[in-house]
Amino acid sequence: MSKLKSTMAISLDGFGAGPNQSENDPLGVGGERLHEWMVSLAVFREMQGEEGGGGEVTASTDVVRSWWDNVGAIVMGRNMFGGGPGPWRGDWRGWWGENPPYHAPVFVLTHHPREPLEMQGGTTFYFVTEGIEAGLKLATEAAGGKDVWLTGGASVIRQYLRAGLLDQIEISLAPVLLGAGERLFADLDGSEIELEQVRAIEAPGVTHITYRIKRNS
């Protein structure tokens, strides 16, 4: 059965992005430090469409590759796709260039409608204005029995957690203190969310911890 799984890098003080996120600083001031462990990996070069190998191979390599395991569709928030607040800029096509690293249908949750955006490499972005449940329904149908990957950002992950729709989350915990920004587990309103740890992998500059979301029913 299809499940909704999420991944996110956070700081030791719980932030998934630094303060003052903008087009020039999509992860906020200092937020790029959350991913320093990944940029030297060979698998990161592959994600960017770079050829020729190179880069490190660590325990994180298999973890990053596993993000794509059995994934048939992707959901992300408006901030993750970018383009600034308000109506869409006509020329904005995402942070990743013409060949984004998501080779599956991507459903972007937004308040502003937009026609589907076809990119190179098999990625089409669909823009969903009817809320998180509608986005998940469309993604699940598109996944055809495979899993749906919720890539972020922090706000939309919290929404799915509160709604009891998230099945699994993997935290990549970086030894960084940001001090401010967007906190992943903020404002959960005392909801009775229970997490069961199912895996922990230590690697240079990061610890990957996977949790299953327990259902209270």
Side-chain angles (χ1 to χ4, degrees):
M1 189 174 87
S2 177
K3 66 182 178 184
L4 178 63
K5 63 181 185 179
S6 187
T7 57
M8 190 164 201
I10 67 171
S11 64
L12 286 176
D13 48 354
F15 294 100
N20 303 319
Q21 295 178 67
S22 67
E23 188 170 328
N24 292 327
D25 279 308
L27 291 174
V29 176
E32 71 281 353
R33 297 167 62 201
L34 298 174
H35 299 94
E36 288 179 347
W37 58 271
M38 186 167 63
V39 296
S40 63
L41 298 178
V43 68
F44 182 76
R45 290 173 57 89
E46 295 174 17
M47 290 167 54
Q48 304 306 306
E50 299 179 16
E51 299 180 356
E56 298 179 2
V57 176
T58 73
S60 290
T61 299
D62 287 339
V63 170
V64 174
R65 291 191 194 282
S66 74
W67 294 349
W68 278 267
D69 286 351
N70 198 44
V71 169
I74 293 159
V75 173
M76 66 176 61
R78 164 65 184 263
N79 287 344
M80 184 79 178
F81 182 77
W88 293 104
R89 275 176 28 194
D91 62 343
W92 183 259
R93 298 172 68 84
W95 300 112
W96 307 277
E98 290 301 312
N99 190 9
Y102 305 108
H103 305 307
V106 180
F107 296 85
V108 181
L109 305 176
T110 175
H111 295 297
H112 300 280
R114 183 176 179 177
E115 291 299 311
L117 183 60
E118 294 186 18
M119 309 290 283
Q120 298 176 15
T123 304
T124 299
F125 291 100
Y126 299 91
F127 301 91
V128 182
T129 58
E130 295 84 9
I132 63 170
E133 293 190 11
L136 179 57
K137 182 176 185 293
L138 290 170
T140 301
E141 292 171 352
K146 292 185 176 182
D147 294 335
V148 176
W149 180 16
L150 176 62
T151 60
S155 175
V156 73
I157 292 174
R158 286 197 302 272
Q159 292 177 57
Y160 278 103
L161 266 174
R162 279 196 295 263
L165 297 173
L166 189 61
D167 297 295
Q168 176 182 300
I169 185 168
E170 181 181 281
I171 300 298
S172 295
L173 189 62
V176 171
L177 296 174
L178 292 179
E182 187 170 14
R183 200 183 293 273
L184 176 58
F185 294 116
D187 303 321
L188 291 176
D189 304 321
S191 55
E192 297 180 357
I193 298 169
E194 293 188 36
L195 308 179
E196 177 186 4
Q197 181 175 313
V198 297
R199 185 178 76 170
I201 296 177
E202 183 180 355
V206 67
T207 300
H208 306 282
I209 310 172
T210 304
Y211 297 96
R212 182 175 67 85
I213 315 300
K214 299 175 68 174
R215 305 295 190 200
N216 295 319
S217 58

